[in-house]
Amino acid sequence: LGITAEEGEDLMLKTQTKVLSEEASVLFGSEKEPSPETIKAFREKCNSLGLDLQNDIGISKARLVDLFQYEIGPGINSGDITNDDGDLIDEIRDSLGLAEEEGEEVIESIISTRSRGLLAEAKSFVLRGMAADAVARLKELVQYAAFVDGDLGLAPEKSDAQKMYFSFAASDFEGLDEETVEKQKVLLKTALGIPDVE
């Protein structure tokens, strides 16, 4: 071909960058949000080539924030990613080129939005006498509360909060040790704003 090895590497990198830019367009061009696995594979491809997602691939900061949310959101919602997974969260955030504050804002937004929804559902179920459904939502709420030491910024009416807490406290904690159960109760008390409930 009559090109040097350095020119060949440069040409190869430009080709790979172009292919990855097109792949990024496909990620965002779909009507449904990309799966965490798809984002991880794309992110790792770019990182393995030493490409910066914003400067080399041309993904805007807002889109990088979206990718972070799409990759970690489902794991937080399912409980697969917890507060104990700080290293994993940092690795994903760093890999996308986001600052620590940007990552924290995304996590806070996910937790806040989902927590408000769970609280509303739990309250509705308690008021309709559907304790089992309420408890299922409250157990999810406790997962989110664990990220922020219980401080979810929720402010339910005191009587509603007490009804929800008592439904939770009276529920079946089969398979959990006493320490974990107590920790969950304290997190829920804090989340509901009723630390004095016994």
Side-chain angles (χ1 to χ4, degrees):
L1 290 173
I3 59 173
T4 66
E6 190 175 301
E7 291 170 329
E9 279 183 33
D10 189 45
L11 181 63
M12 180 75 135
L13 188 59
K14 284 181 182 173
T15 302
Q16 289 171 328
T17 301
K18 184 175 189 267
V19 168
L20 289 168
S21 292
E22 290 170 2
E23 199 173 313
S25 295
V26 170
L27 271 178
F28 289 108
S30 174
E31 287 185 21
K32 63 179 192 170
E33 63 185 53
S35 72
E37 296 78 20
T38 302
I39 296 167
K40 180 180 179 185
F42 173 74
R43 182 174 53 78
E44 288 179 345
K45 261 192 258 181
C46 293
N47 292 160
S48 70
L49 296 170
L51 298 173
D52 181 275
L53 292 166
Q54 187 171 13
N55 298 325
D56 298 323
I57 306 298
I59 301 175
S60 71
K61 182 64 83 170
R63 291 281 173 115
L64 291 173
V65 169
D66 288 343
L67 287 177
F68 183 65
Q69 183 170 334
Y70 295 155
E71 187 167 353
I72 68 163
I76 290 174
N77 290 339
S78 68
D80 291 337
I81 295 177
T82 67
N83 204 26
D84 295 333
D85 294 314
D87 290 343
L88 171 65
I89 293 169
D90 288 344
E91 184 262 318
I92 294 168
R93 181 187 46 75
D94 288 342
S95 175
L96 291 168
L98 298 175
E100 188 172 342
E101 298 78 33
E102 292 167 317
E104 288 173 1
E105 285 175 17
V106 169
I107 292 170
E108 287 171 11
S109 174
I110 291 169
I111 290 171
S112 174
T113 301
R114 188 68 181 126
S115 295
R116 285 192 310 270
L118 288 167
L119 179 67
E121 291 173 18
K123 175 184 169 185
S124 174
F125 285 128
V126 164
L127 295 177
R128 292 185 293 170
M130 302 169 70
D133 292 314
V135 168
R137 299 321 183 273
L138 293 169
K139 285 183 178 182
E140 276 187 71
L141 190 67
V142 167
Q143 288 178 342
Y144 293 105
F147 266 93
V148 291
D149 295 325
D151 185 13
L152 293 169
L154 304 173
E157 293 287 326
K158 184 175 182 178
S159 63
D160 293 336
Q162 289 177 336
K163 288 175 190 170
M164 287 185 278
Y165 176 76
F166 288 130
S167 292
F168 181 80
S171 69
D172 183 10
F173 291 98
E174 187 178 333
L176 296 178
D177 61 61
E178 193 172 319
E179 184 181 338
T180 302
V181 170
E182 283 309 307
K183 188 175 178 182
Q184 287 185 0
K185 287 179 180 179
V186 168
L187 284 170
L188 185 60
K189 286 178 190 179
T190 305
L192 295 176
I194 49 170
D196 55 340
V197 172
E198 292 301 331

